[in-house]
Amino acid sequence: MERDELECFLLLAEELHFGRTAERMRLSRARVSQLVQRLERRVGAPLFVRTSRRVALTSLGRQLRADLEPHHRAIEDALARAVATARGIDSVLHVGFDNPLTGEIVMRTTEALRVSHPGLAVEVCEVPLGDPYGQLRKGEFDVQLTEFPVREEDLRGGSVLLAEGRVLALPASHPLAARASVTLEDLADVPLLTIAGEVPDYWLDHHVPSTTPSGRPIGRGPGVTNMQEALTLVAGGKGALLAPAHTATYFARPRIAYVPLTDAAPTGYGLVWRRDQETGAVAAFARTAREISVS
């Protein structure tokens, strides 16, 4: 089996999407299809079931993935350690995280790296809410675990490592706070706190939409620069906040109600790094984070 066939097979088995696999491999979708077909001819049977709507592993494909992954991981780890030694990578990797949930994944990844890459020190720091990519661009972070979507030309993102639902943080006295759930249409009934800082338009629209799905306007509350400030304003009746579901657990407050949003797309998280800084240390962290997130 050729290395490009192996990597293509394992990536497609993870993504189950030809477009995302092609993007991660920096190949065309046609080339990805060719590699898969070549491997299937080598094996002598289909490894994937393809339809116009989905891609799935066959039972043989699942067996091959289970057999190959541990060996591929061991080879990658061995190569990463060799590259680390050659490049003097026994140094410090600076990693950013968005919130407590991503912080936990970063710390678990760091602990695992102490075993597999003992010469690589990892320092972690929270990403500012009002400047989601600034420190990464300045080189203060080498990689960060952040909320998707990320559509920055100079940054590269990996696959989604974990996802969760979204909630609306409201003053406990607001009429919507008594509801078991709300929808995106209900956002027209309460102003949303906005994010002040160097944030892209698409990023701001994701966190603070200006209209409901039907086109009703959503009011804007004060601008905030961090989560503690935002929750203080919510508790004071100055507006509401769209937030990931874990916020209700990590930031429980007596004057704030967290109501689930039933029709909001899940919040996905993944790693992002500068396209010109795809080092062996970043690759080792990304690979370990993927393993941690599925364990």
Side-chain angles (χ1 to χ4, degrees):
M1 180 185 296
E2 301 293 336
R3 182 174 179 179
D4 55 355
E5 294 175 359
L6 170 63
E7 292 181 350
C8 184
F9 168 71
L10 290 175
L11 279 176
L12 184 57
E14 176 187 337
E15 293 285 358
L16 296 179
H17 190 282
F18 277 85
R20 290 193 295 269
T21 301
E23 182 178 352
R24 288 180 63 180
M25 294 192 71
R26 297 185 176 182
L27 299 174
S28 67
R29 294 181 64 157
R31 180 56 178 163
V32 169
S33 295
Q34 290 172 359
L35 289 172
V36 172
Q37 291 168 4
R38 192 169 75 188
L39 178 58
E40 288 179 327
R41 287 195 298 271
R42 189 187 301 274
V43 171
L47 300 172
F48 295 93
V49 177
R50 311 161 179 82
T51 70
S52 59
R53 296 190 176 186
R54 63 190 291 267
V55 178
L57 283 162
T58 63
S59 58
L60 179 60
R62 289 194 296 271
Q63 175 189 320
L64 182 61
R65 181 188 188 187
D67 290 341
L68 286 176
E69 274 190 325
H71 302 289
H72 182 253
R73 188 159 54 244
I75 292 170
E76 285 200 325
D77 286 343
L79 287 173
R81 286 191 291 271
V83 170
T85 301
R87 295 183 179 178
I89 213 169
D90 291 352
S91 57
V92 180
L93 186 71
H94 297 89
V95 182
F97 63 92
D98 274 3
N99 53 47
L101 182 63
T102 55
E104 287 190 3
I105 297 296
V106 166
M107 293 308 299
R108 289 172 58 197
T109 302
T110 300
E111 291 296 324
L113 283 170
R114 287 178 181 170
V115 177
S116 61
H117 295 75
L120 177 62
V122 179
E123 294 186 0
V124 303
C125 186
E126 187 173 7
V127 176
L129 180 63
D131 190 13
Y133 312 122
Q135 289 178 287
L136 183 62
R137 287 193 167 108
K138 293 174 185 176
E140 296 174 18
F141 296 145
D142 299 299
V143 62
Q144 67 186 50
L145 183 51
T146 195
E147 185 173 340
F148 284 174
V150 177
R151 303 170 188 155
E152 306 298 303
E153 292 185 357
D154 59 329
L155 304 180
R156 182 186 175 192
S159 58
V160 173
L161 297 181
L162 66 158
E164 61 177 334
R166 301 176 83 183
V167 297
L168 184 64
L170 291 156
S173 59
H174 194 280
L176 289 177
R179 300 260 295 271
S181 63
V182 293
T183 68
L184 293 172
E185 285 299 322
D186 293 318
L187 298 183
D189 298 327
V190 58
L192 289 181
L193 301 180
T194 190
I195 311 298
E198 298 295 324
V199 295
D201 291 341
Y202 73 86
W203 190 94
L204 185 63
D205 187 62
H206 174 75
H207 290 82
V208 193
S210 57
T211 62
T212 68
S214 70
R216 298 167 64 201
I218 300 172
R220 290 288 176 93
V224 298
T225 58
N226 59 70
M227 181 60 74
Q228 294 298 337
E229 180 184 5
L231 296 177
T232 297
L233 291 177
V234 171
K238 301 299 183 182
L241 179 72
L242 274 178
H246 77 269
T247 310
T249 300
Y250 288 91
F251 296 102
R253 294 193 179 189
R255 296 175 62 190
I256 295 179
Y258 294 97
V259 185
L261 273 160
T262 58
D263 58 347
T267 294
Y269 301 99
L271 291 169
V272 178
W273 56 91
R274 300 185 303 281
R275 287 188 179 273
D276 61 349
Q277 291 294 321
E278 297 184 34
T279 65
V282 169
F285 191 92
R287 183 170 58 255
T288 306
R290 286 196 299 269
E291 296 168 1
I292 291 296
S293 65
V294 299
S295 61

